[in-house]
């Protein structure tokens, strides 16, 4: 997972720079299962100028010849408001196909 972590961190950093955001904190990439589906979980904190910091959770699901990405994000200052809702959203996420790769 070290190589996977490096690839995602490099890509996210480039994407953020292109929109004038900065990467404030990076969490190592994790391989997880969400509702029985294998995924790559990317998590980081970004910030645009002096705006509030934003926590981003990105879940990448491989599905045969497709890749599905679920991105959940909120301002850290609003974590108490959004965190439980986003856990519920993640628990309810499903890709409706019998061809989901493991």
């Amino acid at each position: 997972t070290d190589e996977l972590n490096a690839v995602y961190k490099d890509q996210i950093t480039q994407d953020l720079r292109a929109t004038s955001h900065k990467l404030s904190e990076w969490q190592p990439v994790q391989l997880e299962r969400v509702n029985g589906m294998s995924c790559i979980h990317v998590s980081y904190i970004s910030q645009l100028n002096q705006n509030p910091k934003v926590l981003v959770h990105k879940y990448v699901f491989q599905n045969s010849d497709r890749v599905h990405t679920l991105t959940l994000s909120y301002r850290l200052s609003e974590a108490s408001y959004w965190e439980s809702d986003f856990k519920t959203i993640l628990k309810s996420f499903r890709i409706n196909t019998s061809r989901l790769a493991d």
Side-chain angles (χ1 to χ4, degrees):
T1 58
D2 288 342
E3 186 175 326
L4 193 60
N5 189 63
V7 167
Y8 272 96
K9 186 175 183 181
D10 183 56
Q11 183 62 51
I12 296 291
T13 301
Q14 287 180 33
D15 291 348
L16 290 173
R17 274 194 209 127
T19 58
S20 301
H21 286 76
K22 70 176 181 176
L23 180 65
S24 296
E25 186 179 319
W26 179 260
Q27 296 295 320
V29 169
Q30 296 182 30
L31 302 177
E32 297 181 2
R33 290 187 75 76
V34 172
N35 300 324
M37 302 175 293
S38 297
C39 69
I40 298 168
H41 178 196
V42 178
S43 180
Y44 59 92
I45 296 173
S46 67
Q47 186 175 20
L48 175 63
N49 303 319
Q50 299 304 313
N51 291 314
K53 291 182 178 181
V54 174
L55 174 61
V56 179
H57 289 282
K58 187 175 286 201
Y59 300 87
V60 181
F61 300 88
Q62 177 68 43
N63 178 10
S64 296
D65 61 344
R66 296 182 174 102
V67 175
H68 303 275
T69 303
L70 173 65
T71 303
L72 303 172
S73 64
Y74 52 82
R75 292 182 188 107
L76 282 176
S77 61
E78 298 174 352
S80 63
Y81 182 82
W82 291 112
E83 193 170 27
S84 65
D85 286 343
F86 281 25
K87 285 180 181 177
T88 301
I89 291 167
L90 184 61
K91 287 179 186 176
S92 71
F93 182 75
R94 299 261 191 290
I95 298 172
N96 294 326
T97 181
S98 60
R99 300 183 320 162
L100 188 64
D102 282 308

